[in-house]
């Protein structure tokens, strides 16, 4: 039996991060999110301060890009002018994810992990979504905004995620065909989503 890896992509406000954390705790495995950035920085020697906030840079750049740099598994060598680039930082994140998948079971939030690990037979890819109004209500529980501000924030954030995913994968982030499971958290609840993922894994991997 190989190590099980569960990738979680999620709409803002759907609770995908929380569901991933709950699943990892239930299974007794680690859950990775932004930690992958730090690990990629440590592995490459690329100081994250060189990029400012990589997440913020994503917000400011990918919306205007019409080109794509679909991940192919390569690392840009140190002698290249493109070594210290955001694209290469993504490449190192992918390298870390592949190495971790050979060493342990874990849950990972975002990072285009479903695409990066798509050839691994022990990976389960999940997309967590919910109706827009549900996401707005949940977002307002966490952030002090007007409802209109939250609506715009969610629309902008999800578009950025989609643009980022398209840039690095050449595919649509919200396309159900990219995932093993697409779960509506507003209907199942967080606990129900965790149980649905576990049930799917039990059937697919024929585990008790």
């Amino acid at each position: 039996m190989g190590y099980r890896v569960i990738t979680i992509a999620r709409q803002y406000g759907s609770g995908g991060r929380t569901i991933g954390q709950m699943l990892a705790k239930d299974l007794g495995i680690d859950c990775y999110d932004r930690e992958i950035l730090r690990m990629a920085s440590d592995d490459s020697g690329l100081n994250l301060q060189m990029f400012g906030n990589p997440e913020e840079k994503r917000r400011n750049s990918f919306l205007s890009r019409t080109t794509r740099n679909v991940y192919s598994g390569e690392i840009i060598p140190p002698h290249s002018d493109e070594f210290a680039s955001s694209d290469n930082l993504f490449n190192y994140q992918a390298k870390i994810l592949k190495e971790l998948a050979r060493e342990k079971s874990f849950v990972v939030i975002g990072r285009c992990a479903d695409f990066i690990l798509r050839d691994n037979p022990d990976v389960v890819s999940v997309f967590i979504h919910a109706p827009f109004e549900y996401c707005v209500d949940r977002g307002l529980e966490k952030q002090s905004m007007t409802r209109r501000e939250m609506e715009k924030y969610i629309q902008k954030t999800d578009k950025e995620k989609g643009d980022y995913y398209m840039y690095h994968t050449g595919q649509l982030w919200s396309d159900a065909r990219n995932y093993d499971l697409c779960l509506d958290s507003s209907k199942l609840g967080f606990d129900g989503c965790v149980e649905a993922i576990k049930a799917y894994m039990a059937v697919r991997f024929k585990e008790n």
Side-chain angles (χ1 to χ4, degrees):
M1 181 184 77
Y3 295 111
R4 308 298 188 214
V5 179
I6 304 95
T7 71
I8 306 286
R10 79 284 182 213
Q11 291 179 318
Y12 184 91
S14 67
R17 177 182 283 109
T18 300
I19 290 166
Q21 292 168 342
M22 290 170 60
L23 177 65
K25 183 176 180 180
D26 189 287
L27 297 176
I29 59 180
D30 290 327
C31 182
Y32 294 102
D33 189 351
R34 285 185 56 82
E35 297 88 351
I36 299 297
L37 271 173
R38 177 188 56 76
M39 295 166 73
S41 173
D42 292 344
D43 187 62
S44 65
L46 295 171
N47 189 329
L48 290 180
Q49 293 181 353
M50 294 168 58
F51 305 95
N53 182 338
E55 300 296 313
E56 187 64 32
K57 185 167 185 176
R58 178 190 72 185
R59 296 186 182 102
N60 292 335
S61 62
F62 287 101
L63 293 179
S64 61
R65 292 192 184 186
T66 57
T67 59
R68 299 175 188 172
N69 185 30
V70 176
Y71 172 72
S72 61
E74 299 178 357
I75 295 290
I76 300 173
H79 58 76
S80 171
D81 292 340
E82 295 299 313
F83 177 73
S85 65
S86 294
D87 288 340
N88 208 30
L89 184 61
F90 180 92
N91 294 341
Y92 271 98
Q93 288 185 79
K95 176 176 179 285
I96 293 296
L97 285 170
K98 289 182 175 181
E99 290 174 350
L100 286 172
R102 291 193 291 266
E103 299 170 358
K104 62 193 293 188
S105 296
F106 61 93
V107 175
V108 58
I109 311 298
R111 311 293 151 193
C112 300
D114 57 281
F115 181 83
I116 291 166
L117 301 175
R118 65 194 182 282
D119 295 327
N120 187 324
D122 296 307
V123 169
V124 174
S125 57
V126 181
F127 186 81
I128 304 294
H129 62 96
F132 184 66
E133 291 304 314
Y134 175 89
C135 294
V136 171
D137 289 339
R138 284 204 69 254
L140 289 172
E141 293 174 1
K142 294 185 174 183
Q143 299 199 45
S144 179
M145 296 184 184
T146 67
R147 190 169 193 85
R148 183 56 183 156
E149 287 172 340
M150 179 55 67
E151 289 172 349
K152 290 181 178 179
Y153 179 78
I154 290 177
Q155 290 168 342
K156 179 173 179 289
T157 300
D158 283 351
K159 187 177 188 309
E160 288 159 357
K161 288 180 181 179
D163 289 342
Y164 182 82
Y165 191 89
M166 175 61 76
Y167 178 77
H168 285 296
T169 74
Q171 300 181 15
L172 291 173
W173 169 66
S174 58
D175 189 337
R177 292 171 295 184
N178 293 329
Y179 307 97
D180 297 312
L181 285 176
C182 294
L183 303 175
D184 185 337
S185 57
S186 73
K187 294 179 178 177
L188 293 177
F190 292 3
D191 288 324
C193 286
V194 169
E195 292 305 314
I197 297 168
K198 289 168 56 182
Y200 171 85
M201 293 173 66
V203 173
R204 173 172 160 182
F205 300 120
K206 296 180 174 57
E207 298 170 347
N208 295 325

